[in-house]
Amino acid sequence: HFKEIYANTDSQVLPATLHEAELVTDQAVVITESTVPFRIVRVNEAWEGLCGYTQDEAHGKTLGDLLQGPETDVGAATALVDKLCHGMEAGAVLTNYAKGGRKFQNRIRVGTLKNQNDKVTHFVGVLKEIHEMSEKIVGGKKKDMQMA
């Protein structure tokens, strides 16, 4: 039931439990520990496809180690973690880098996963690649361009 609701909405509703997070297959999901350094516990196939790392490669690493690069806004990523540590959901648009070095922009929503006793057990991130670019360099000149 949760999977259907989640798949049919664009309101960025986040899973609330580890079980719900594991049901999401149509969007890139990463689950991390809820304590520093927030190591990756699990990723789904959609995340593997977007980021280029397998579950085995990602497990035990941090998102910063795998995805951050020269144009990643570390301040925005840190602000997301700060909100998570205070029990809040948050979102941002980040520039990240896939395993092969491909740069991509993604909208990420993050939240906490809780157990039946309402204790935070993990953090979850849902990533969606953004294909829109407001500017494109053509022939050495900047031209405004909207891509659908």
Side-chain angles (χ1 to χ4, degrees), residues 81-131:
V81 172
D82 186 57
K83 288 190 183 241
L84 280 172
C85 290
H86 288 90
M88 296 183 283
E89 290 184 4
V93 173
L94 295 175
T95 298
N96 283 325
Y97 296 81
K99 181 179 179 180
R102 180 182 73 88
K103 180 172 75 170
F104 66 97
Q105 276 202 312
N106 67 112
R107 182 178 296 115
I108 182 168
R109 293 282 307 156
V110 296
T112 59
L113 299 177
K114 297 180 179 181
N115 64 16
Q116 58 271 37
N117 299 321
D118 208 35
K119 179 182 184 303
V120 174
T121 59
H122 299 85
F123 292 154
V124 63
V126 178
L127 290 74
K128 180 176 181 174
E129 185 168 8
I130 299 171
H131 295 284

mmCIF file of all heavy atoms in Angstrom, residues 81-131:
data_model
loop_
_atom_site.group_PDB
_atom_site.id
_atom_site.type_symbol
_atom_site.label_atom_id
_atom_site.label_comp_id
_atom_site.label_asym_id
_atom_site.label_seq_id
_atom_site.Cartn_x
_atom_site.Cartn_y
_atom_site.Cartn_z
ATOM 1 N N VAL A 81 22.388 17.218 6.773
ATOM 2 C CA VAL A 81 22.725 16.338 7.893
ATOM 3 C C VAL A 81 22.341 17.003 9.211
ATOM 4 O O VAL A 81 21.809 16.345 10.115
ATOM 5 C CB VAL A 81 24.231 15.966 7.869
ATOM 6 C CG1 VAL A 81 24.618 15.213 9.127
ATOM 7 C CG2 VAL A 81 24.545 15.143 6.630
ATOM 8 N N ASP A 82 22.578 18.294 9.333
ATOM 9 C CA ASP A 82 22.232 19.016 10.558
ATOM 10 C C ASP A 82 20.732 18.927 10.835
ATOM 11 O O ASP A 82 20.308 18.665 11.954
ATOM 12 C CB ASP A 82 22.676 20.472 10.453
ATOM 13 C CG ASP A 82 22.464 21.233 11.751
ATOM 14 O OD1 ASP A 82 23.003 20.786 12.793
ATOM 15 O OD2 ASP A 82 21.738 22.250 11.737
ATOM 16 N N LYS A 83 19.927 19.111 9.794
ATOM 17 C CA LYS A 83 18.474 19.010 9.973
ATOM 18 C C LYS A 83 18.071 17.592 10.371
ATOM 19 O O LYS A 83 17.222 17.403 11.243
ATOM 20 C CB LYS A 83 17.735 19.456 8.717
ATOM 21 C CG LYS A 83 17.819 20.950 8.519
ATOM 22 C CD LYS A 83 16.897 21.408 7.411
ATOM 23 C CE LYS A 83 17.067 22.887 7.214
ATOM 24 N NZ LYS A 83 15.873 23.641 7.437
ATOM 25 N N LEU A 84 18.690 16.601 9.731
ATOM 26 C CA LEU A 84 18.402 15.208 10.082
ATOM 27 C C LEU A 84 18.707 14.940 11.547
ATOM 28 O O LEU A 84 17.938 14.272 12.240
ATOM 29 C CB LEU A 84 19.238 14.263 9.219
ATOM 30 C CG LEU A 84 18.745 13.995 7.819
ATOM 31 C CD1 LEU A 84 19.778 13.206 7.045
ATOM 32 C CD2 LEU A 84 17.424 13.253 7.848
ATOM 33 N N CYS A 85 19.832 15.432 12.009
ATOM 34 C CA CYS A 85 20.243 15.207 13.396
ATOM 35 C C CYS A 85 19.289 15.871 14.391
ATOM 36 O O CYS A 85 19.257 15.503 15.554
ATOM 37 C CB CYS A 85 21.674 15.691 13.616
ATOM 38 S SG CYS A 85 22.900 14.655 12.773
ATOM 39 N N HIS A 86 18.506 16.830 13.906
ATOM 40 C CA HIS A 86 17.488 17.472 14.737
ATOM 41 C C HIS A 86 16.097 16.911 14.452
ATOM 42 O O HIS A 86 15.091 17.506 14.819
ATOM 43 C CB HIS A 86 17.520 18.987 14.537
ATOM 44 C CG HIS A 86 18.724 19.630 15.150
ATOM 45 N ND1 HIS A 86 19.901 19.803 14.464
ATOM 46 C CD2 HIS A 86 18.937 20.087 16.401
ATOM 47 C CE1 HIS A 86 20.792 20.357 15.255
ATOM 48 N NE2 HIS A 86 20.237 20.540 16.446
ATOM 49 N N GLY A 87 16.052 15.780 13.746
ATOM 50 C CA GLY A 87 14.784 15.088 13.523
ATOM 51 C C GLY A 87 13.912 15.673 12.443
ATOM 52 O O GLY A 87 12.730 15.346 12.356
ATOM 53 N N MET A 88 14.470 16.546 11.596
ATOM 54 C CA MET A 88 13.665 17.203 10.573
ATOM 55 C C MET A 88 13.944 16.618 9.192
ATOM 56 O O MET A 88 15.053 16.174 8.924
ATOM 57 C CB MET A 88 13.975 18.702 10.547
ATOM 58 C CG MET A 88 13.602 19.426 11.821
ATOM 59 S SD MET A 88 13.908 21.213 11.703
ATOM 60 C CE MET A 88 15.689 21.260 11.906
ATOM 61 N N GLU A 89 12.941 16.670 8.326
ATOM 62 C CA GLU A 89 13.143 16.342 6.925
ATOM 63 C C GLU A 89 13.738 17.571 6.254
ATOM 64 O O GLU A 89 13.528 18.697 6.707
ATOM 65 C CB GLU A 89 11.818 16.000 6.254
ATOM 66 C CG GLU A 89 11.226 14.698 6.716
ATOM 67 C CD GLU A 89 9.949 14.336 5.967
ATOM 68 O OE1 GLU A 89 9.563 15.068 5.025
ATOM 69 O OE2 GLU A 89 9.331 13.330 6.321
ATOM 70 N N ALA A 90 14.464 17.340 5.161
ATOM 71 C CA ALA A 90 15.072 18.462 4.452
ATOM 72 C C ALA A 90 15.271 18.083 2.996
ATOM 73 O O ALA A 90 15.201 16.908 2.630
ATOM 74 C CB ALA A 90 16.405 18.827 5.090
ATOM 75 N N GLY A 91 15.537 19.079 2.191
ATOM 76 C CA GLY A 91 15.785 18.835 0.778
ATOM 77 C C GLY A 91 16.755 19.853 0.222
ATOM 78 O O GLY A 91 16.935 20.937 0.784
ATOM 79 N N ALA A 92 17.400 19.498 -0.880
ATOM 80 C CA ALA A 92 18.331 20.394 -1.542
ATOM 81 C C ALA A 92 18.551 19.910 -2.962
ATOM 82 O O ALA A 92 18.216 18.778 -3.309
ATOM 83 C CB ALA A 92 19.664 20.431 -0.798
ATOM 84 N N VAL A 93 19.118 20.773 -3.772
ATOM 85 C CA VAL A 93 19.591 20.386 -5.089
ATOM 86 C C VAL A 93 21.115 20.379 -5.003
ATOM 87 O O VAL A 93 21.722 21.379 -4.611
ATOM 88 C CB VAL A 93 19.107 21.358 -6.183
ATOM 89 C CG1 VAL A 93 19.749 21.028 -7.521
ATOM 90 C CG2 VAL A 93 17.598 21.313 -6.283
ATOM 91 N N LEU A 94 21.709 19.240 -5.315
ATOM 92 C CA LEU A 94 23.155 19.085 -5.202
ATOM 93 C C LEU A 94 23.756 18.648 -6.534
ATOM 94 O O LEU A 94 23.111 17.956 -7.317
ATOM 95 C CB LEU A 94 23.499 18.014 -4.160
ATOM 96 C CG LEU A 94 23.116 18.291 -2.712
ATOM 97 C CD1 LEU A 94 23.432 17.076 -1.845
ATOM 98 C CD2 LEU A 94 23.840 19.516 -2.184
ATOM 99 N N THR A 95 24.987 19.050 -6.745
ATOM 100 C CA THR A 95 25.769 18.521 -7.851
ATOM 101 C C THR A 95 26.614 17.400 -7.287
ATOM 102 O O THR A 95 27.365 17.594 -6.321
ATOM 103 C CB THR A 95 26.678 19.610 -8.460
ATOM 104 O OG1 THR A 95 25.848 20.657 -8.966
ATOM 105 C CG2 THR A 95 27.537 19.042 -9.581
ATOM 106 N N ASN A 96 26.466 16.211 -7.840
ATOM 107 C CA ASN A 96 27.225 15.047 -7.392
ATOM 108 C C ASN A 96 27.921 14.413 -8.582
ATOM 109 O O ASN A 96 27.741 14.833 -9.722
ATOM 110 C CB ASN A 96 26.301 14.031 -6.699
ATOM 111 C CG ASN A 96 25.930 14.459 -5.293
ATOM 112 O OD1 ASN A 96 26.722 15.065 -4.591
ATOM 113 N ND2 ASN A 96 24.725 14.149 -4.882
ATOM 114 N N TYR A 97 28.693 13.381 -8.293
ATOM 115 C CA TYR A 97 29.481 12.703 -9.319
ATOM 116 C C TYR A 97 29.276 11.203 -9.185
ATOM 117 O O TYR A 97 29.462 10.637 -8.113
ATOM 118 C CB TYR A 97 30.965 13.052 -9.161
ATOM 119 C CG TYR A 97 31.206 14.527 -9.382
ATOM 120 C CD1 TYR A 97 30.978 15.447 -8.374
ATOM 121 C CD2 TYR A 97 31.611 14.998 -10.628
ATOM 122 C CE1 TYR A 97 31.162 16.806 -8.586
ATOM 123 C CE2 TYR A 97 31.797 16.350 -10.849
ATOM 124 C CZ TYR A 97 31.569 17.255 -9.825
ATOM 125 O OH TYR A 97 31.746 18.596 -10.041
ATOM 126 N N ALA A 98 28.911 10.566 -10.293
ATOM 127 C CA ALA A 98 28.725 9.118 -10.326
ATOM 128 C C ALA A 98 30.093 8.437 -10.351
ATOM 129 O O ALA A 98 31.131 9.079 -10.522
ATOM 130 C CB ALA A 98 27.892 8.722 -11.542
ATOM 131 N N LYS A 99 30.080 7.139 -10.208
ATOM 132 C CA LYS A 99 31.313 6.347 -10.137
ATOM 133 C C LYS A 99 32.272 6.642 -11.285
ATOM 134 O O LYS A 99 33.465 6.801 -11.069
ATOM 135 C CB LYS A 99 30.976 4.855 -10.108
ATOM 136 C CG LYS A 99 32.186 3.968 -10.005
ATOM 137 C CD LYS A 99 31.783 2.513 -9.952
ATOM 138 C CE LYS A 99 33.008 1.618 -9.861
ATOM 139 N NZ LYS A 99 32.625 0.205 -9.804
ATOM 140 N N GLY A 100 31.777 6.739 -12.492
ATOM 141 C CA GLY A 100 32.649 6.981 -13.642
ATOM 142 C C GLY A 100 33.070 8.434 -13.810
ATOM 143 O O GLY A 100 33.736 8.774 -14.769
ATOM 144 N N GLY A 101 32.668 9.309 -12.875
ATOM 145 C CA GLY A 101 33.034 10.716 -12.957
ATOM 146 C C GLY A 101 31.972 11.598 -13.586
ATOM 147 O O GLY A 101 32.133 12.816 -13.659
ATOM 148 N N ARG A 102 30.863 10.993 -14.040
ATOM 149 C CA ARG A 102 29.785 11.782 -14.647
ATOM 150 C C ARG A 102 29.182 12.719 -13.609
ATOM 151 O O ARG A 102 28.779 12.308 -12.536
ATOM 152 C CB ARG A 102 28.687 10.849 -15.188
ATOM 153 C CG ARG A 102 27.518 11.587 -15.846
ATOM 154 C CD ARG A 102 26.450 10.617 -16.326
ATOM 155 N NE ARG A 102 25.692 10.039 -15.233
ATOM 156 C CZ ARG A 102 24.590 10.592 -14.702
ATOM 157 N NH1 ARG A 102 24.143 11.737 -15.156
ATOM 158 N NH2 ARG A 102 23.945 9.990 -13.724
ATOM 159 N N LYS A 103 29.157 14.006 -13.946
ATOM 160 C CA LYS A 103 28.568 15.006 -13.056
ATOM 161 C C LYS A 103 27.063 15.030 -13.293
ATOM 162 O O LYS A 103 26.611 14.982 -14.436
ATOM 163 C CB LYS A 103 29.186 16.373 -13.354
ATOM 164 C CG LYS A 103 28.649 17.484 -12.487
ATOM 165 C CD LYS A 103 29.423 18.763 -12.694
ATOM 166 C CE LYS A 103 29.048 19.408 -13.999
ATOM 167 N NZ LYS A 103 29.595 20.771 -14.132
ATOM 168 N N PHE A 104 26.294 15.087 -12.216
ATOM 169 C CA PHE A 104 24.843 15.193 -12.364
ATOM 170 C C PHE A 104 24.271 16.022 -11.234
ATOM 171 O O PHE A 104 24.817 16.075 -10.141
ATOM 172 C CB PHE A 104 24.175 13.810 -12.416
ATOM 173 C CG PHE A 104 24.265 12.999 -11.153
ATOM 174 C CD1 PHE A 104 23.220 12.977 -10.236
ATOM 175 C CD2 PHE A 104 25.392 12.243 -10.871
ATOM 176 C CE1 PHE A 104 23.295 12.220 -9.075
ATOM 177 C CE2 PHE A 104 25.486 11.479 -9.714
ATOM 178 C CZ PHE A 104 24.421 11.473 -8.815
ATOM 179 N N GLN A 105 23.172 16.705 -11.546
ATOM 180 C CA GLN A 105 22.449 17.443 -10.520
ATOM 181 C C GLN A 105 21.288 16.592 -10.058
ATOM 182 O O GLN A 105 20.653 15.909 -10.865
ATOM 183 C CB GLN A 105 21.907 18.766 -11.062
ATOM 184 C CG GLN A 105 22.913 19.880 -11.042
ATOM 185 C CD GLN A 105 22.201 21.222 -11.074
ATOM 186 O OE1 GLN A 105 21.314 21.442 -11.884
ATOM 187 N NE2 GLN A 105 22.596 22.108 -10.194
ATOM 188 N N ASN A 106 21.035 16.625 -8.761
ATOM 189 C CA ASN A 106 19.910 15.855 -8.243
ATOM 190 C C ASN A 106 19.218 16.598 -7.128
ATOM 191 O O ASN A 106 19.823 17.374 -6.396
ATOM 192 C CB ASN A 106 20.362 14.467 -7.783
ATOM 193 C CG ASN A 106 21.260 14.497 -6.574
ATOM 194 O OD1 ASN A 106 20.879 14.066 -5.503
ATOM 195 N ND2 ASN A 106 22.473 15.020 -6.717
ATOM 196 N N ARG A 107 17.920 16.372 -7.082
ATOM 197 C CA ARG A 107 17.113 16.866 -5.973
ATOM 198 C C ARG A 107 17.100 15.743 -4.953
ATOM 199 O O ARG A 107 16.755 14.604 -5.272
ATOM 200 C CB ARG A 107 15.693 17.173 -6.448
ATOM 201 C CG ARG A 107 14.806 17.736 -5.352
ATOM 202 C CD ARG A 107 13.425 18.078 -5.873
ATOM 203 N NE ARG A 107 13.466 19.140 -6.863
ATOM 204 C CZ ARG A 107 13.142 18.993 -8.143
ATOM 205 N NH1 ARG A 107 12.741 17.823 -8.603
ATOM 206 N NH2 ARG A 107 13.207 19.990 -8.990
ATOM 207 N N ILE A 108 17.519 16.046 -3.745
ATOM 208 C CA ILE A 108 17.522 15.022 -2.704
ATOM 209 C C ILE A 108 16.608 15.454 -1.570
ATOM 210 O O ILE A 108 16.583 16.626 -1.181
ATOM 211 C CB ILE A 108 18.954 14.731 -2.179
ATOM 212 C CG1 ILE A 108 18.909 13.613 -1.129
ATOM 213 C CG2 ILE A 108 19.620 15.987 -1.647
ATOM 214 C CD1 ILE A 108 20.261 13.052 -0.755
ATOM 215 N N ARG A 109 15.824 14.500 -1.101
ATOM 216 C CA ARG A 109 14.994 14.679 0.094
ATOM 217 C C ARG A 109 15.513 13.695 1.123
ATOM 218 O O ARG A 109 15.777 12.534 0.805
ATOM 219 C CB ARG A 109 13.523 14.373 -0.196
ATOM 220 C CG ARG A 109 12.851 15.336 -1.136
ATOM 221 C CD ARG A 109 12.438 16.651 -0.502
ATOM 222 N NE ARG A 109 11.642 16.436 0.680
ATOM 223 C CZ ARG A 109 11.537 17.328 1.675
ATOM 224 N NH1 ARG A 109 12.157 18.473 1.615
ATOM 225 N NH2 ARG A 109 10.809 17.067 2.724
ATOM 226 N N VAL A 110 15.696 14.160 2.328
ATOM 227 C CA VAL A 110 16.211 13.304 3.390
ATOM 228 C C VAL A 110 15.277 13.336 4.592
ATOM 229 O O VAL A 110 14.585 14.321 4.829
ATOM 230 C CB VAL A 110 17.648 13.724 3.818
ATOM 231 C CG1 VAL A 110 18.621 13.532 2.670
ATOM 232 C CG2 VAL A 110 17.682 15.155 4.326
ATOM 233 N N GLY A 111 15.280 12.235 5.323
ATOM 234 C CA GLY A 111 14.453 12.145 6.518
ATOM 235 C C GLY A 111 14.955 11.028 7.414
ATOM 236 O O GLY A 111 15.922 10.329 7.102
ATOM 237 N N THR A 112 14.281 10.880 8.530
ATOM 238 C CA THR A 112 14.645 9.850 9.499
ATOM 239 C C THR A 112 13.751 8.629 9.324
ATOM 240 O O THR A 112 12.601 8.743 8.910
ATOM 241 C CB THR A 112 14.510 10.376 10.941
ATOM 242 O OG1 THR A 112 13.157 10.797 11.152
ATOM 243 C CG2 THR A 112 15.444 11.544 11.206
ATOM 244 N N LEU A 113 14.315 7.464 9.628
ATOM 245 C CA LEU A 113 13.542 6.224 9.681
ATOM 246 C C LEU A 113 13.472 5.821 11.148
ATOM 247 O O LEU A 113 14.488 5.847 11.851
ATOM 248 C CB LEU A 113 14.224 5.130 8.860
ATOM 249 C CG LEU A 113 14.398 5.413 7.368
ATOM 250 C CD1 LEU A 113 15.143 4.274 6.696
ATOM 251 C CD2 LEU A 113 13.045 5.648 6.708
ATOM 252 N N LYS A 114 12.279 5.457 11.594
ATOM 253 C CA LYS A 114 12.083 5.123 13.009
ATOM 254 C C LYS A 114 11.560 3.703 13.167
ATOM 255 O O LYS A 114 10.913 3.164 12.269
ATOM 256 C CB LYS A 114 11.107 6.113 13.647
ATOM 257 C CG LYS A 114 11.630 7.533 13.640
ATOM 258 C CD LYS A 114 10.647 8.490 14.275
ATOM 259 C CE LYS A 114 11.210 9.903 14.273
ATOM 260 N NZ LYS A 114 10.280 10.856 14.906
ATOM 261 N N ASN A 115 11.822 3.132 14.334
ATOM 262 C CA ASN A 115 11.281 1.809 14.637
ATOM 263 C C ASN A 115 9.919 1.956 15.314
ATOM 264 O O ASN A 115 9.400 3.075 15.463
ATOM 265 C CB ASN A 115 12.268 0.989 15.484
ATOM 266 C CG ASN A 115 12.517 1.602 16.859
ATOM 267 O OD1 ASN A 115 11.775 2.466 17.339
ATOM 268 N ND2 ASN A 115 13.577 1.154 17.502
ATOM 269 N N GLN A 116 9.347 0.830 15.737
ATOM 270 C CA GLN A 116 8.005 0.857 16.335
ATOM 271 C C GLN A 116 7.968 1.615 17.661
ATOM 272 O O GLN A 116 6.905 2.010 18.115
ATOM 273 C CB GLN A 116 7.441 -0.562 16.497
ATOM 274 C CG GLN A 116 8.278 -1.481 17.337
ATOM 275 C CD GLN A 116 9.325 -2.242 16.531
ATOM 276 O OE1 GLN A 116 9.912 -1.712 15.590
ATOM 277 N NE2 GLN A 116 9.570 -3.496 16.879
ATOM 278 N N ASN A 117 9.130 1.853 18.274
ATOM 279 C CA ASN A 117 9.189 2.627 19.515
ATOM 280 C C ASN A 117 9.467 4.102 19.257
ATOM 281 O O ASN A 117 9.801 4.840 20.178
ATOM 282 C CB ASN A 117 10.273 2.057 20.439
ATOM 283 C CG ASN A 117 9.980 0.625 20.825
ATOM 284 O OD1 ASN A 117 8.828 0.254 21.067
ATOM 285 N ND2 ASN A 117 11.012 -0.204 20.852
ATOM 286 N N ASP A 118 9.367 4.528 17.989
ATOM 287 C CA ASP A 118 9.579 5.911 17.579
ATOM 288 C C ASP A 118 11.025 6.376 17.768
ATOM 289 O O ASP A 118 11.289 7.555 17.909
ATOM 290 C CB ASP A 118 8.598 6.850 18.300
ATOM 291 C CG ASP A 118 8.300 8.090 17.474
ATOM 292 O OD1 ASP A 118 8.242 7.976 16.237
ATOM 293 O OD2 ASP A 118 8.146 9.175 18.070
ATOM 294 N N LYS A 119 11.949 5.408 17.775
ATOM 295 C CA LYS A 119 13.370 5.738 17.895
ATOM 296 C C LYS A 119 13.981 5.781 16.501
ATOM 297 O O LYS A 119 13.738 4.907 15.677
ATOM 298 C CB LYS A 119 14.077 4.670 18.744
ATOM 299 C CG LYS A 119 15.559 4.917 18.913
ATOM 300 C CD LYS A 119 16.202 3.786 19.724
ATOM 301 C CE LYS A 119 17.662 4.028 20.009
ATOM 302 N NZ LYS A 119 18.498 4.236 18.847
ATOM 303 N N VAL A 120 14.777 6.813 16.235
ATOM 304 C CA VAL A 120 15.443 6.932 14.937
ATOM 305 C C VAL A 120 16.471 5.818 14.809
ATOM 306 O O VAL A 120 17.343 5.657 15.661
ATOM 307 C CB VAL A 120 16.119 8.312 14.776
ATOM 308 C CG1 VAL A 120 16.938 8.360 13.491
ATOM 309 C CG2 VAL A 120 15.077 9.422 14.787
ATOM 310 N N THR A 121 16.354 5.045 13.727
ATOM 311 C CA THR A 121 17.283 3.939 13.498
ATOM 312 C C THR A 121 18.226 4.204 12.332
ATOM 313 O O THR A 121 19.358 3.730 12.321
ATOM 314 C CB THR A 121 16.512 2.633 13.198
ATOM 315 O OG1 THR A 121 15.689 2.828 12.049
ATOM 316 C CG2 THR A 121 15.652 2.226 14.394
ATOM 317 N N HIS A 122 17.745 4.955 11.323
ATOM 318 C CA HIS A 122 18.523 5.221 10.121
ATOM 319 C C HIS A 122 18.096 6.559 9.533
ATOM 320 O O HIS A 122 17.060 7.102 9.908
ATOM 321 C CB HIS A 122 18.289 4.139 9.051
ATOM 322 C CG HIS A 122 18.684 2.775 9.470
ATOM 323 N ND1 HIS A 122 17.844 1.939 10.180
ATOM 324 C CD2 HIS A 122 19.834 2.089 9.282
ATOM 325 C CE1 HIS A 122 18.463 0.797 10.419
ATOM 326 N NE2 HIS A 122 19.664 0.856 9.885
ATOM 327 N N PHE A 123 18.891 7.041 8.569
ATOM 328 C CA PHE A 123 18.495 8.174 7.740
ATOM 329 C C PHE A 123 18.221 7.637 6.335
ATOM 330 O O PHE A 123 18.824 6.646 5.920
ATOM 331 C CB PHE A 123 19.590 9.228 7.664
ATOM 332 C CG PHE A 123 19.860 9.954 8.966
ATOM 333 C CD1 PHE A 123 21.103 10.493 9.202
ATOM 334 C CD2 PHE A 123 18.882 10.108 9.937
ATOM 335 C CE1 PHE A 123 21.370 11.172 10.378
ATOM 336 C CE2 PHE A 123 19.132 10.782 11.119
ATOM 337 C CZ PHE A 123 20.386 11.322 11.332
ATOM 338 N N VAL A 124 17.333 8.305 5.623
ATOM 339 C CA VAL A 124 17.014 7.906 4.252
ATOM 340 C C VAL A 124 17.149 9.115 3.340
ATOM 341 O O VAL A 124 16.839 10.244 3.734
ATOM 342 C CB VAL A 124 15.593 7.303 4.145
ATOM 343 C CG1 VAL A 124 14.522 8.323 4.512
ATOM 344 C CG2 VAL A 124 15.341 6.726 2.754
ATOM 345 N N GLY A 125 17.641 8.862 2.145
ATOM 346 C CA GLY A 125 17.697 9.893 1.122
ATOM 347 C C GLY A 125 17.066 9.368 -0.152
ATOM 348 O O GLY A 125 17.302 8.226 -0.538
ATOM 349 N N VAL A 126 16.232 10.194 -0.774
ATOM 350 C CA VAL A 126 15.618 9.855 -2.051
ATOM 351 C C VAL A 126 16.128 10.873 -3.062
ATOM 352 O O VAL A 126 15.940 12.077 -2.886
ATOM 353 C CB VAL A 126 14.080 9.879 -1.962
ATOM 354 C CG1 VAL A 126 13.452 9.563 -3.314
ATOM 355 C CG2 VAL A 126 13.591 8.901 -0.897
ATOM 356 N N LEU A 127 16.803 10.377 -4.096
ATOM 357 C CA LEU A 127 17.430 11.237 -5.091
ATOM 358 C C LEU A 127 16.670 11.181 -6.403
ATOM 359 O O LEU A 127 16.204 10.119 -6.813
ATOM 360 C CB LEU A 127 18.867 10.789 -5.372
ATOM 361 C CG LEU A 127 19.917 10.999 -4.300
ATOM 362 C CD1 LEU A 127 19.765 10.006 -3.161
ATOM 363 C CD2 LEU A 127 21.309 10.876 -4.902
ATOM 364 N N LYS A 128 16.568 12.320 -7.045
ATOM 365 C CA LYS A 128 15.969 12.387 -8.380
ATOM 366 C C LYS A 128 16.865 13.267 -9.232
ATOM 367 O O LYS A 128 17.114 14.424 -8.900
ATOM 368 C CB LYS A 128 14.558 12.964 -8.319
ATOM 369 C CG LYS A 128 13.920 13.042 -9.681
ATOM 370 C CD LYS A 128 12.495 13.519 -9.617
ATOM 371 C CE LYS A 128 11.940 13.533 -11.026
ATOM 372 N NZ LYS A 128 10.545 13.852 -11.061
ATOM 373 N N GLU A 129 17.357 12.705 -10.329
ATOM 374 C CA GLU A 129 18.225 13.479 -11.210
ATOM 375 C C GLU A 129 17.424 14.583 -11.879
ATOM 376 O O GLU A 129 16.280 14.393 -12.279
ATOM 377 C CB GLU A 129 18.873 12.591 -12.265
ATOM 378 C CG GLU A 129 19.878 13.339 -13.118
ATOM 379 C CD GLU A 129 20.739 12.443 -13.986
ATOM 380 O OE1 GLU A 129 20.473 11.234 -14.065
ATOM 381 O OE2 GLU A 129 21.687 12.974 -14.576
ATOM 382 N N ILE A 130 18.043 15.743 -12.004
ATOM 383 C CA ILE A 130 17.428 16.893 -12.661
ATOM 384 C C ILE A 130 18.076 17.030 -14.029
ATOM 385 O O ILE A 130 19.296 17.124 -14.143
ATOM 386 C CB ILE A 130 17.659 18.177 -11.847
ATOM 387 C CG1 ILE A 130 17.030 18.045 -10.465
ATOM 388 C CG2 ILE A 130 17.105 19.385 -12.594
ATOM 389 C CD1 ILE A 130 17.387 19.172 -9.534
ATOM 390 N N HIS A 131 17.260 17.058 -15.059
ATOM 391 C CA HIS A 131 17.780 17.153 -16.425
ATOM 392 C C HIS A 131 17.653 18.555 -16.996
ATOM 393 O O HIS A 131 18.062 18.801 -18.117
ATOM 394 C CB HIS A 131 17.047 16.165 -17.342
ATOM 395 C CG HIS A 131 17.311 14.751 -16.971
ATOM 396 N ND1 HIS A 131 18.485 14.101 -17.256
ATOM 397 C CD2 HIS A 131 16.545 13.852 -16.304
ATOM 398 C CE1 HIS A 131 18.441 12.870 -16.792
ATOM 399 N NE2 HIS A 131 17.275 12.693 -16.217
#
